Amino acid sequence: MSRIGVFVCHCGLNIAKTVRVSELAEFARTLPDVVVAEDYKFMCSTPGQELIQNDIRKHNLDRVIVAACSPLMHERTFRKVIENAGLNQYLLSIVNVREQDSWVTEDEDVATTKAKALINGAVFRARLLQPLVSRFIDVNPDVMVVGGGIAGIQAALELADTGKKVYLVERSPTIGGHMAQFDKTFPTLDCSACILTPKMDAVLQSSNIELLTYCEVEEVKGFVGNFDIKIRQKARYVDHDKCNACLACTEKCPGRGVSEWDEGLVKRKAIYIPFPQAVPQKPVIDRENCTFFKKGKCRLCEKVCEQEAIDFEQKDTFREVKVGAVILATGYDLMDTKPLIQYGYGKLPGVHHALELERLFNSAGPTSGKVVMRDGKTEPQSIAILHCIGSRDKNNHEYCSRVCCMYSLKFAHLLKEKTHGDVYQLYIDMRAPGKGYEEFYNRLVEEDVKFIRGKAARVTDKTDNPDHAGKLIVEVEDTLTSQFVTIPVDMVVLSPAMKPRQDAKDMARLFNLSTDKYGFFMERHPKLAPLSTMTDGVFIAGACQSPKDIPDSVSQGTGAAAEALTIVVKDKMELEAATAIVNSAACCGCQNCVRVCPYGAPMFNYEKNVSEINEALCKGCGLCAASCPASAIITRHFTNDQVMAEMEGLMEF
Amino acid sequence: MDFEPKILGIACNWCTYTGADLAGTTRLKYPQNVRTVRVMCSSRINPSFIIRAFQLGADGVLVGGCHPGDCHYGTGNLYARRKLAVTKKILEFAGMEPKRFRVEWISASEGKKYAEVVEEFTNDVKALGPQTKFKIRKD
């Protein structure tokens, strides 16, 4: 005989609006073994928790059922509640009457009936619940940060500052990310390099950060507290231990590749550092464009290198890194606007995308900070900036990319400063919801920038008007005057959507993350756990989760560092006790479990001719139990009896 | 009154159960005939659970797991996929209408898909009427 308490939460009106909560409590009281059932406005609040704890003591309860939100939301909360009242935390059952009941129907009768069935199922299951003892494992104190953009740099620096060892993995030859490409940042217009490069240098100087540039994550094993991560060090063909960064090699190199950092506006050498302030200041050889790799002779770099650091024989190498927690800050890709043929990018030379313009502004860019057309000398006399290219567009990306309005305003300001030309902003809505952002917009309105409310429909170089010959014609409906407008300009700048990295799905697979429908990494909870993921010990920061500006990315970097710390500051951590065990009397020795387990937890004991499960390795998925022909394996907390009892309870209603 | 089928759902914790939660958070509306048991992984599902559900009077059984290749435990749902395919064959062999048993791969981000699958499956089962073939009568 169990003594069960049932606690029904109203969740304000979230549940109580569609589920008749008092009727539910009344119903629960009629169920066998239920000694007390109550309903309360907010069960997760302090008075709610006290109500449960008082009832446990008063009625000597040995099982607790909470009908509230999803167990993914508050199972941990209520486990703590009953544990603090002296009950084993596994003697709890959560009934999901919010996410999977009150929120998904408007019909009170339907919602209440379903809730009754769910509670009945939980009562059936609760009777069979067993107390379980938590396991503790050692925690590796180190952290890995993947991605060396501003979010990743921030996270790495914060962690290093607390004395933790950090591996910062970056796949390109330098850290810095997209922020390194920018000239100024909105809304304060401070120089991007001036605020970023000191941080990049701090990474290099920090004795706690091991910088792994030109590296990629190859394989992830293990779990929270003890990840085993295999890193591929891509061949640089330059021995960085020997290289003294004199860069004589880059001067002599005859090979040419496209400069990624300058968005393809210019060429760089085949042996190169991405940009003058790159960290580390040591070159790599781009094999695709290297004359020696292409034609079999050259080796000029080798000849000029006094350190004998060039090594054409270098191969990719692999290393295993052990860490307790991981932060992913892998950033975003800019949408390729070529497929949007109506805007002419790639066909009409006067059409640029936003990052190209950033490079034109930048004093370290291809034009030393002069805004000129692609011919390299003509200054544009009129420029149109087209917002929402591929964003807020159901044919492409439905979401708002969040930063484009603000950087487009920044562009307008800088264009006014550098060209004295006419600047047009073609926007759908002006979105400026940040500190100082609205003020920045107001300032731009004063700066004689022409705002046209409407999304550009087309950019063309065809016109019947002789005055417009040689110009780009932007066609747009001004939605404030309901008029069709054509604007002749010299230069068009597209503000394309920020989208997930091309290989975000592969990364998600490696770390076992979910992605949202666009491919951005999914957070554990959109409000309460925005930096955590469904994989314990793996955190996300920056634009890999959704489009973000620099302040948000930096905040998230710091936040993710704090989240990772909550794991790696502990020597030991608690693991789920719901693991599998073998009933050796029933084991037939077929070794199915040994074959199917992805963690190698079941081992066969040849002396006793039975399988045994190593609890430290078991993750509690239950695959072995369902694969055991003798039903000798018991997945604790999800035993056959418990699952079937719950089913029976559910089907009674 | 219309026949309202009773459907047993079995959903894995990481994908389909989370996807069902997402359907709730986004306030999608769908029929409430499915009562779900949460398991950690679809590989936990023993074929006997399915048969037992029909014995208990379920008019349909809906199993949800992560997309093949996306299993939280790596390979669990690949085993589940094979096991449940065989289960379906056995059920058909025993005379059960195939449309009463459905396996779907629904990720944590596919709240909309969850709602659509439930709606479609509920309609399918409704059209078949009450399941009596396997049901054990309590006397």
Side-chain angles (χ1 to χ4, degrees):
Chain A
M1 276 289 283
S2 313
R3 297 182 61 81
I4 303 175
V6 178
F7 301 89
V8 181
C9 179
H10 298 197
C11 194
L13 282 176
N14 281 309
I15 295 168
K17 187 167 162 259
T18 25
V19 175
R20 291 189 291 267
V21 279
S22 49
E23 184 184 322
L24 212 56
E26 218 166 280
F27 159 80
R29 278 180 216 118
T30 65
L31 298 175
D33 295 350
V34 174
V35 290
V36 59
E38 309 209 43
D39 60 283
Y40 182 69
K41 218 157 214 41
F42 291 105
M43 219 40 107
C44 58
S45 66
T46 309
Q49 296 190 11
E50 280 170 359
L51 179 121
I52 298 174
Q53 291 175 331
N54 288 339
D55 273 356
I56 291 175
R57 294 189 193 102
K58 195 165 128 200
H59 299 280
N60 204 14
L61 301 179
D62 60 9
R63 303 282 189 280
V64 170
I65 292 171
V66 180
C69 51
S70 169
L72 304 180
M73 180 93 186
H74 275 320
E75 188 171 52
R76 284 181 196 181
T77 313
F78 289 113
R79 277 183 175 182
K80 272 264 157 323
V81 170
I82 70 163
E83 192 171 41
N84 289 340
L87 266 189
N88 182 283
Q89 54 170 321
Y90 289 90
L91 298 174
L92 168 81
S93 221
I94 300 277
V95 179
N96 187 344
V97 291
R98 193 177 76 170
E99 280 84 346
Q100 298 189 19
D101 191 12
S102 73
W103 275 352
V104 285
T105 181
E106 273 155 2
D107 188 321
E108 260 189 44
D109 292 335
V110 167
T112 310
T113 310
K114 183 173 178 181
K116 284 180 184 171
L118 295 175
I119 287 186
N120 199 42
V123 169
F124 273 61
R125 180 169 192 264
R127 291 194 193 111
L128 302 178
L129 287 176
Q130 291 294 324
L132 299 175
V133 183
S134 294
R135 302 164 294 154
F136 289 86
I137 48 150
D138 290 336
V139 175
N140 185 307
D142 304 339
V143 182
M144 177 177 287
V145 178
V146 184
I150 184 60
I153 289 175
Q154 182 74 12
L157 287 173
E158 300 279 22
L159 284 163
D161 212 25
T162 66
K164 290 290 169 192
K165 159 115 191 180
V166 184
Y167 298 92
L168 179 56
V169 181
E170 164 62 43
R171 73 161 147 210
S172 76
T174 176
I175 54 170
H178 280 109
M179 188 176 168
Q181 296 179 295
F182 305 161
D183 181 48
K184 297 279 193 299
T185 56
F186 62 76
T188 46
L189 297 174
D190 34 358
C191 143
S192 184
C194 316
I195 51 181
L196 176 67
T197 49
K199 281 193 178 283
M200 290 162 65
D201 186 60
V203 167
L204 193 67
Q205 302 302 333
S206 170
S207 53
N208 287 334
I209 299 178
E210 187 168 338
L211 185 54
L212 303 169
T213 54
Y214 220 42
C215 284
E216 301 214 30
V217 175
E218 193 76 8
E219 197 182 317
V220 181
K221 282 195 271 186
F223 46 89
V224 55
N226 292 280
F227 289 104
D228 273 311
I229 301 179
K230 192 173 175 187
I231 301 288
R232 173 197 290 268
Q233 169 71 66
K234 294 182 276 187
R236 298 177 171 117
Y237 306 107
V238 178
D239 185 337
H240 276 202
D241 292 334
K242 289 186 188 161
C243 173
N244 66 355
C246 74
L247 301 183
C249 52
T250 61
E251 280 163 33
K252 293 283 182 232
C253 176
R256 293 289 182 273
V258 167
S259 168
E260 297 85 358
W261 190 61
D262 274 326
E263 288 297 322
L265 291 171
V266 286
K267 301 262 184 184
R268 55 153 171 76
K269 299 293 177 73
I271 183 165
Y272 69 106
I273 61 167
F275 55 97
Q277 298 75 30
V279 169
Q281 280 274 309
K282 293 182 181 178
V284 295
I285 293 179
D286 154 18
R287 195 184 162 113
E288 306 258 295
N289 295 300
C290 167
T291 315
F292 172 70
F293 279 117
K294 279 198 320 206
K295 297 191 179 140
K297 45 185 173 187
C298 178
R299 303 182 92 122
L300 267 177
C301 48
E302 196 177 30
K303 281 172 204 132
V304 297
C305 181
E306 287 174 1
Q307 300 292 315
E308 297 181 347
I310 309 289
D311 176 8
F312 289 106
E313 302 298 309
Q314 212 177 60
K315 298 266 179 300
D316 289 7
T317 53
F318 296 92
R319 64 179 285 192
E320 300 265 345
V321 176
K322 288 183 190 302
V323 293
V326 180
I327 296 171
L328 298 180
T330 50
Y332 68 96
D333 279 339
L334 204 62
M335 181 194 175
D336 177 15
T337 47
K338 276 202 199 95
L340 303 175
I341 49 169
Q342 65 270 40
Y343 300 116
Y345 181 80
K347 212 174 106 223
L348 304 171
V351 182
H352 292 67
H353 68 64
L355 275 179
E356 286 177 335
L357 188 63
E358 290 282 3
R359 297 310 305 145
L360 294 183
F361 285 136
N362 197 307
S363 58
T367 58
S368 308
K370 280 207 277 298
V371 178
V372 287
M373 307 291 289
R374 285 195 205 265
D375 63 8
K377 44 185 196 288
T378 325
E379 188 176 278
Q381 293 307 304
S382 47
I383 302 124
I385 302 168
L386 277 44
H387 293 222
C388 299
I389 303 302
S391 314
R392 303 187 66 199
D393 173 351
K394 286 197 172 161
N395 297 320
N396 289 287
H397 305 283
E398 195 181 342
Y399 55 84
C400 164
S401 289
R402 286 190 70 197
V403 299
C404 324
C405 280
M406 291 311 295
Y407 75 60
S408 297
L409 291 173
K410 173 190 77 179
F411 284 168
H413 174 83
L414 295 176
L415 285 167
K416 278 278 164 198
E417 206 173 79
K418 295 200 178 215
T419 69
H420 312 289
D422 287 332
V423 181
Y424 298 87
Q425 294 270 356
L426 277 63
Y427 66 100
I428 308 179
D429 294 294
M430 189 55 70
R431 297 191 166 176
K435 189 165 178 170
Y437 290 10
E438 183 70 15
E439 294 90 324
F440 188 64
Y441 165 61
N442 288 336
R443 175 176 164 186
L444 262 289
V445 171
E446 308 269 298
E447 281 183 15
D448 189 28
V449 174
K450 298 179 174 64
F451 288 88
I452 296 170
R453 187 174 182 275
K455 182 171 174 179
R458 192 158 75 123
V459 178
T460 174
D461 56 355
K462 311 235 172 358
T463 171
D464 297 333
N465 186 338
D467 295 344
H468 294 172
K471 298 260 184 191
L472 293 171
I473 316 296
V474 183
E475 299 172 351
V476 59
E477 186 199 345
D478 185 336
T479 55
L480 293 179
T481 58
S482 293
Q483 283 193 332
F484 187 73
V485 188
T486 53
I487 312 161
V489 290
D490 293 329
M491 188 190 258
V492 167
V493 180
L494 307 179
S495 302
M498 283 166 85
K499 66 183 195 72
R501 285 278 187 202
Q502 192 93 44
D503 56 353
K505 286 255 176 218
D506 301 330
M507 192 57 107
R509 196 153 292 166
L510 271 176
F511 286 95
N512 237 323
L513 306 185
S514 312
T515 50
D516 64 18
K517 63 178 172 178
Y518 309 110
F520 289 111
F521 297 152
M522 273 270 270
E523 60 284 349
R524 185 185 273 271
H525 189 274
K527 304 282 183 323
L528 297 178
L531 307 173
S532 312
T533 65
M534 290 301 281
T535 306
D536 285 337
V538 177
F539 305 97
I540 47 178
C544 60
Q545 185 254 1
S546 76
K548 263 175 211 73
D549 58 11
I550 294 168
D552 286 359
S553 298
V554 170
S555 317
Q556 288 212 327
T558 301
E563 290 263 27
L565 263 187
T566 61
I567 290 171
V568 296
V569 287
K570 296 178 203 140
D571 296 333
K572 294 199 175 288
M573 68 179 301
E574 193 176 342
L575 284 188
E576 270 285 318
T579 53
I581 47 165
V582 180
N583 171 7
S584 50
C587 176
C588 64
C590 72
Q591 301 188 39
N592 258 357
C593 49
V594 180
R595 280 186 289 272
V596 297
C597 178
Y599 305 100
M603 307 274 261
F604 195 68
N605 183 332
Y606 284 93
E607 269 173 36
K608 295 182 189 158
N609 249 344
V610 291
S611 286
E612 286 165 358
I613 288 174
N614 179 348
E615 266 194 69
L617 298 175
C618 177
K619 301 285 284 167
C621 67
L623 168 57
C624 54
S627 306
C628 179
S631 296
I633 300 183
I634 299 149
T635 319
R636 286 185 288 200
H637 213 52
F638 291 93
T639 67
N640 285 358
D641 290 348
Q642 287 165 356
V643 173
M644 295 225 204
E646 184 176 352
M647 282 169 27
E648 194 177 342
L650 292 175
M651 286 299 115
E652 264 190 2
F653 276 82
Chain B
M1 213 174 88
D2 276 359
F3 162 62
E4 284 298 338
K6 263 192 268 181
I7 297 172
L8 184 87
I10 311 180
C12 88
N13 180 63
W14 306 98
C15 292
T16 306
Y17 195 87
T18 315
D21 274 0
L22 183 65
T25 338
T26 40
R27 310 294 200 277
L28 301 176
K29 304 289 181 256
Y30 58 85
Q32 295 307 304
N33 303 65
V34 180
R35 287 101 169 84
T36 304
V37 174
R38 180 172 65 118
V39 289
M40 293 313 277
C41 178
S42 55
S43 70
R44 172 68 190 93
I45 299 166
N46 195 313
S48 63
F49 293 177
I50 316 292
I51 293 164
R52 182 77 186 129
F54 285 122
Q55 289 180 332
L56 290 167
D59 298 305
V61 178
L62 176 65
V63 169
C66 307
H67 285 273
D70 284 351
C71 177
H72 185 77
Y73 303 100
T75 50
N77 59 2
L78 303 181
Y79 288 98
R81 180 166 64 175
R82 288 197 213 168
K83 220 174 284 179
L84 296 170
V86 174
T87 310
K88 197 172 174 72
K89 286 277 171 218
I90 293 172
L91 288 170
E92 283 178 40
F93 181 75
M96 178 67 69
E97 295 95 331
K99 280 199 164 176
R100 290 196 191 274
F101 177 51
R102 182 160 169 180
V103 181
E104 276 291 341
W105 313 118
I106 299 167
S107 80
S109 56
E110 293 176 325
K112 195 158 167 261
K113 181 175 176 187
Y114 179 82
E116 284 163 4
V117 166
V118 168
E119 177 147 15
E120 201 181 285
F121 187 60
T122 307
N123 290 337
D124 285 351
V125 175
K126 211 180 249 185
L128 289 170
Q131 181 275 125
T132 49
K133 204 150 270 166
F134 278 37
K135 190 174 177 178
I136 298 171
R137 258 168 248 251
K138 279 188 192 166
D139 291 317

